[in-house]
Amino acid sequence: MAERVRVRDIDDDEGRRLLRIVRRESGSVVTWRRSQMILVSAQGMPVGKIAEVTFTSTDRVRDVIHNFNTDGFASLYPKYKGGRPKTFTLPERREIKKIAKSTPTEHDVPFSTWSLSKLADFLVAERAVDDISHEGLRVLLREGACRFKN
């Protein structure tokens, strides 16, 4: 029988903190996605359903939950190294541009058009990139002659 993975009990303050992260319009897509996974797990959603609604694998959801149960809120924030932001490789740039020029429905995503935030979330979920800010995505797309409104 498969193990039922669920986030530990969270108190009201932790729940409010997770909601603030999920509702915030700026910040890391990775932190937002991880917080979303923890929040819906705390509400009783099973791992398979969380993976489905966050466009990721069940293994990834389990990792996020286990890490949160062990390390708390520190596990929600990516471990960035200092220095210049990552430069995307040519294959990564091509993949980003290809997805940006497609429609969300071509990827079974229920939106009619991409916004920068939806595209950034999708790129991370599909592991086309590890992380990308909305502004970094805007700059990259502008260089590739693609324009988006946020």
Side-chain angles (χ1 to χ4, degrees):
M1 186 167 137
E3 170 189 11
R4 178 155 157 62
V5 177
R6 191 160 168 234
V7 72
R8 62 172 172 74
D9 288 336
I10 59 172
D11 62 32
D12 289 344
D13 288 339
E14 290 174 318
R16 282 190 290 275
R17 186 172 173 192
L18 286 166
L19 271 175
R20 276 195 307 273
I21 293 169
V22 170
R23 289 179 177 159
R24 190 173 34 204
E25 292 186 20
S26 62
S28 168
V29 173
V30 172
T31 301
W32 178 84
R33 175 173 262 70
R34 290 174 183 172
S35 300
Q36 182 185 42
M37 289 178 198
I38 297 304
L39 195 57
V40 296
S41 177
Q43 294 168 345
M45 187 180 286
V47 169
K49 186 67 175 168
I50 296 170
E52 184 181 316
V53 300
T54 59
F55 307 108
T56 194
S57 70
T58 55
D59 287 341
R60 183 72 191 120
V61 173
R62 283 188 193 94
D63 286 345
V64 168
I65 292 171
H66 283 301
N67 291 341
F68 184 83
N69 288 343
T70 303
D71 300 325
F73 279 85
S75 70
L76 302 178
Y77 299 95
K79 309 293 185 271
Y80 293 123
K81 297 178 178 113
R84 181 179 173 170
K86 179 184 175 195
T87 305
F88 295 101
T89 64
L90 185 58
E92 286 173 327
R93 289 174 173 270
R94 285 182 178 149
E95 183 66 11
I96 291 167
K97 188 175 176 182
K98 183 178 107 182
I99 293 171
K101 288 189 168 196
S102 68
T103 63
T105 54
E106 291 174 45
H107 303 279
D108 296 323
V109 180
F111 311 120
S112 57
T113 59
W114 291 117
S115 67
L116 284 173
S117 60
K118 289 175 186 172
L119 181 57
D121 292 345
F122 183 79
L123 291 168
V124 171
E126 291 297 307
R127 299 186 190 236
V129 295
D130 292 331
D131 193 20
I132 189 166
S133 69
H134 303 152
E135 189 56 32
L137 181 57
R138 182 190 316 273
V139 169
L140 193 143
L141 292 174
R142 190 172 292 140
E143 291 169 359
C146 293
R147 298 223 189 278
F148 275 83
K149 294 181 180 175
N150 199 8

